[in-house]
Amino acid sequence: MSETMLATLSNIRTVEDMIVAFEDEQHCRRLLEGMVWPEGRICPACGYKHSIAIAGRDMGKRRARPGLYQCSSGDCRFQFTVTTHTPLHATKLPLRVWLKAMWLMLQSDKGLSSVRLAEALGVSQPTAWRMGHALRLMVAREHMLDGTVEIDHFHLGGRPRKHPDDPPPGRGRKGQANTQKTPVMAMVQRPSDDTPGAPAGDARAAVVTGLSFRGAERVVETQITPNARLMSDEAKAFMAIGESFAEHETVKHSSGQYVRNAVHVNSVEGFNSRVRRTIAGVFHHISPQHADLYFHEIGFRWSQRVVTGSTVRKTRHGREIVRTLWSRVPPALQLPNVFRAAIGRQMRRSPDGGISIKSAVAVFG
């Protein structure tokens, strides 16, 4: 990250600062190029690190659009801009609108609904909805969790409406589900260091087909390294999964045990509560097919914190415990972490007016 860009982002603290910083379209393009290409321009088609600028070339009576580059590789010669092969690909909105939208969504503690974002930017609600999903797609992380990782499950959704002609839900026996809510698997990585300035660990969540061993295993094996130290409750699926890891510690909630020295799942339960409060208070309802995108956003917010110190608190039983104090990273300084994995992640409109994800992982960079 260049010092000029860092200084610009560090000075954005209020809405007025944000409006001034993201007012000029050319300046916003330079900021975005610095965040997407922190190590220099990269061709999104082949990954070649040398290119030439052709934005000033005369094209008869017309000129090439601003910020256009051409790959210098003889086998490629691909022309691209900073938004090519990203969720902002082929956007018709000015970049200043995109940066304002990202700042507003990151500024809010639990996110911003598409209705409120549309009112703030002066765009339509469907446009604001797709802009929100562009942010959620860019903050998805693919690296595996290691160290100490807590896992837990919860159910997503509200109480179903009662219809007199529908049979009552089952009791979990004979193949009858005891709830119609969507099961979700959550994972939280504990921070490796508690010194001031240390970042928080990552948090993940994913919709699962069920709370069985196979359903949970398919999620865990793609998210957590085998040499991690696993923390969970006494659920049977978690007990079976724990055998595949270097170490597995459990707490027995059924016996009233919630903390045993450093063994607990309080962090992941706090993340579960954050997910439920965010959905109930901001979005009100999310569809299961888009739930993972919302989990990316909530998990990204969880990780954008740093340790500021510690303090001694007393429990209601009079026992003294040490609590870690956290401070949130300013929203403007979160933007480089948002755009660093933008290349290779593409989002397109579907024929029914929704979105379709073309590529969910970064290709280069």
Side-chain angles (χ1 to χ4, degrees), residues 173-194:
R173 295 178 297 180
K174 297 181 180 179
Q176 296 178 340
N178 59 357
T179 181
Q180 298 178 2
K181 298 181 181 181
T182 303
V184 179
M185 183 87 172
M187 298 148 283
V188 171
Q189 181 185 21
R190 290 186 187 176
S192 58
D193 193 2
D194 57 357

Side-chain angles (χ1 to χ4, degrees), residues 11-23 28 96 99-104 121 332 335:
N11 292 330
I12 302 176
R13 296 289 180 174
T14 64
V15 176
E16 185 177 358
D17 296 337
M18 179 269 294
I19 295 175
V20 174
F22 299 151
E23 186 176 9
C28 290
R96 60 179 182 272
L99 291 179
K100 290 176 182 177
M102 299 300 177
W103 188 90
L104 289 172
L121 298 176
L335 288 174

Side-chain angles (χ1 to χ4, degrees), residues 110 152-156 186 188 205 265-281 298 302:
K110 293 184 179 67
D152 195 15
H153 65 263
F154 65 97
H155 288 88
L156 183 66
V188 171
V265 290
N266 294 340
S267 299
V268 69
E269 288 181 351
F271 178 69
N272 296 347
S273 180
R274 171 62 67 91
V275 173
R276 289 192 291 265
R277 293 199 306 270
T278 299
I279 295 172
I298 301 171
W302 179 275

Side-chain angles (χ1 to χ4, degrees), residues 48-342:
Y48 198 67
K49 294 185 178 181
H50 296 283
S51 59
I52 58 174
I54 60 175
R57 178 186 297 177
D58 290 331
M59 306 291 289
K61 295 182 180 180
R62 302 175 59 185
R63 298 175 65 91
R65 61 187 183 272
L68 184 64
Y69 304 97
Q70 182 171 342
C71 179
S72 297
S73 173
D75 298 329
C76 182
R77 310 296 290 176
F78 183 71
Q79 294 185 3
F80 60 93
T81 65
V82 68
T83 61
T84 303
H85 291 182
T86 71
L88 281 62
H89 185 94
T91 180
K92 297 180 181 178
L93 293 173
L95 296 182
R96 60 179 182 272
V97 176
W98 276 102
L99 291 179
K100 290 176 182 177
M102 299 300 177
W103 188 90
L104 289 172
M105 285 186 286
L106 296 174
Q107 171 66 21
S108 181
D109 209 21
K110 293 184 179 67
L112 197 63
S113 67
S114 59
V115 176
R116 296 293 172 260
L117 183 62
E119 292 176 352
L121 298 176
V123 298
S124 65
Q125 185 273 332
T127 298
W129 182 78
R130 283 187 288 268
M131 294 176 75
H133 280 324
L135 169 71
R136 297 173 191 116
L137 179 60
M138 285 188 289
V139 298
R141 298 293 179 255
E142 287 81 27
H143 64 273
M144 304 281 282
L145 302 179
D146 56 4
T148 302
V149 182
E150 303 177 17
I151 61 174
D152 195 15
H153 65 263
F154 65 97
H155 288 88
L156 183 66
R159 182 177 299 175
R161 295 180 180 179
K162 294 183 179 180
H163 298 282
D165 297 333
D166 292 344
R171 298 181 179 178
R173 295 178 297 180
K174 297 181 180 179
Q176 296 178 340
N178 59 357
T179 181
Q180 298 178 2
K181 298 181 181 181
T182 303
V184 179
M185 183 87 172
M187 298 148 283
V188 171
Q189 181 185 21
R190 290 186 187 176
S192 58
D193 193 2
D194 57 357
T195 58
D202 287 340
R204 311 275 179 83
V207 173
V208 294
T209 56
L211 300 180
S212 63
F213 166 71
R214 293 187 180 276
E217 185 185 33
R218 280 193 292 266
V219 176
V220 170
E221 68 182 1
T222 60
Q223 300 287 342
I224 307 175
T225 59
N227 58 352
R229 183 189 182 193
L230 204 64
M231 300 282 182
S232 71
D233 55 21
E234 72 280 8
K236 292 183 179 180
F238 297 158
M239 297 294 291
I241 290 174
E243 298 178 358
S244 304
F245 291 88
E247 189 176 354
H248 182 208
E249 298 283 352
T250 61
V251 288
K252 197 170 184 179
H253 288 171
S254 59
S255 301
Q257 183 189 61
Y258 296 93
V259 179
R260 189 178 71 253
N261 297 326
V263 180
H264 62 81
V265 290
N266 294 340
S267 299
V268 69
E269 288 181 351
F271 178 69
N272 296 347
S273 180
R274 171 62 67 91
V275 173
R276 289 192 291 265
R277 293 199 306 270
T278 299
I279 295 172
V282 178
F283 303 110
H284 306 311
H285 168 76
I286 61 175
S287 58
Q289 60 265 30
H290 290 148
D292 287 348
L293 286 173
Y294 288 93
F295 296 154
H296 293 330
E297 178 186 0
I298 301 171
F300 179 77
R301 295 181 192 279
W302 179 275
S303 64
Q304 296 303 300
R305 299 174 297 154
V306 293
V307 178
T308 58
S310 61
T311 184
V312 178
R313 301 280 177 82
K314 283 189 177 182
T315 65
R316 54 181 152 180
H317 302 293
R319 185 168 57 92
E320 292 186 349
I321 57 176
V322 179
R323 294 288 189 186
T324 303
L325 301 179
W326 299 90
S327 177
R328 188 177 64 158
V329 177
L333 295 180
Q334 296 179 28
L335 288 174
N337 292 329
V338 172
F339 288 103
R340 69 177 183 180

